[in-house]
Amino acid sequence: MNYKNLIFDLDGTLWDSRATIIKIWNDVLNKHQLIQQELKPDDMNQYMGLLAHDILKDMLPGVSDQQIQELLSEVVARENEVLGIQGGILYPGVEETLKSLANTHNLFIVSNCQDGYIESFLEYYRFEALFVDFESHGRTQKTKSENIRLLMERNGLSTENSVYVGDTQTDYDSATSNNLPFIFCEYGFGKLSKKHETQISVFFDLKKYI
């Protein structure tokens, strides 16, 4: 394949932020006396890549929409602040591979995260110069599929020389709805409904398919 433009998901694809954000979720939910037992990092596996609003609704059935919004505002503000200082854990090979690819390819990020989350990732690892552009649900309030389309239109990207790299069924569905090829990161948090012919078990292997 000959892809010039590489669009990445973030959580489960480039890094694992669970250990950092789980402390924030526990602090906020404990403060409001909404959990009896503290969450563990593995408890977040099923939620990674989903919208924070939907995660809270699933975790806290019966809680009003107004309280969900209040909790969400508190969690988001804390996450962006703390992640910019403490960061998350990059998957093996991510830093070296991204720095190499940035010399020959155009790199982008589209994630379902809140506004400021991608910025915290880029700031912590000083990756700002590696990426051409990014988009998030928090900034546009649009779906991942719509944000991929928005980013592609904004940067004049063609489906013929672009690819989306992610780790969930939502990533796959969002890519294919835009007629984009997809590379599945099987080391991430998600699973696909059926085996995908283009998948990587370590980030280094991405170079084999681009």
Side-chain angles (χ1 to χ4, degrees):
M1 300 296 180
N2 187 20
Y3 301 124
K4 181 66 176 175
N5 308 303
L6 312 179
I7 310 172
F8 296 95
D9 171 52
L10 182 47
D11 291 319
T13 300
L14 300 179
W15 78 343
D16 178 356
S17 64
R18 291 172 303 163
T20 302
I21 67 173
I22 201 69
K23 298 173 186 174
I24 298 166
W25 284 69
N26 280 325
D27 286 348
V28 171
L29 295 177
N30 273 323
K31 184 176 101 174
H32 293 274
Q33 299 180 328
L34 289 170
I35 54 172
Q36 296 179 338
Q37 184 174 350
E38 289 202 340
L39 300 168
K40 298 180 175 132
D42 284 348
D43 293 330
M44 297 299 290
N45 289 10
Q46 61 184 311
Y47 297 121
M48 299 305 287
L50 300 180
L51 303 179
H53 177 275
D54 295 337
I55 296 171
L56 284 169
K57 289 287 286 185
D58 187 77
M59 279 186 178
L60 307 169
V63 173
S64 70
D65 286 340
Q66 180 180 347
Q67 189 169 11
I68 290 290
Q69 285 304 124
E70 292 170 356
L71 292 168
L72 183 59
S73 296
E74 195 170 344
V75 166
V76 164
R78 292 276 305 280
E79 278 191 3
N80 291 345
E81 177 185 0
V82 174
L83 284 169
I85 298 170
Q86 297 182 10
I89 300 172
L90 288 180
Y91 288 108
V94 165
E95 182 168 6
E96 305 93 315
T97 305
L98 288 179
K99 287 181 175 178
S100 174
L101 290 173
N103 294 318
T104 53
H105 295 72
N106 301 315
L107 310 185
F108 305 87
I109 297 175
V110 175
S111 170
N112 265 344
C113 61
Q114 69 263 18
D115 190 20
Y117 187 90
I118 298 174
E119 293 91 327
S120 295
F121 165 76
L122 297 176
E123 178 185 352
Y124 182 78
Y125 288 105
R126 299 181 181 177
F127 283 170
E128 294 97 332
L130 301 183
F131 289 88
V132 177
D133 196 5
F134 59 84
E135 197 53 89
S136 66
H137 170 79
R139 190 158 71 175
T140 67
Q141 300 303 303
K142 297 180 182 294
T143 65
K144 179 166 282 188
S145 176
E146 291 171 312
N147 280 330
I148 290 173
R149 188 176 307 116
L150 178 64
L151 179 133
M152 292 184 70
E153 290 174 351
R154 190 163 68 215
N155 292 278
L157 307 187
S158 164
T159 56
E160 284 74 29
N161 61 6
S162 305
V163 63
Y164 191 81
V165 184
D167 72 305
T168 67
Q169 185 68 41
T170 298
D171 293 338
Y172 173 81
D173 293 340
S174 300
T176 55
S177 70
N178 284 288
N179 297 313
L180 269 182
F182 179 71
I183 297 175
F184 176 57
C185 301
E186 61 180 5
Y187 55 80
F189 300 119
K191 294 181 180 179
L192 298 185
S193 59
K194 60 182 179 180
K195 186 174 177 61
H196 188 59
E197 67 273 11
T198 310
Q199 58 186 36
I200 56 175
S201 56
V202 290
F203 197 79
F204 283 118
D205 288 345
L206 182 62
K207 290 187 174 183
K208 296 178 182 178
Y209 296 108
I210 59 172

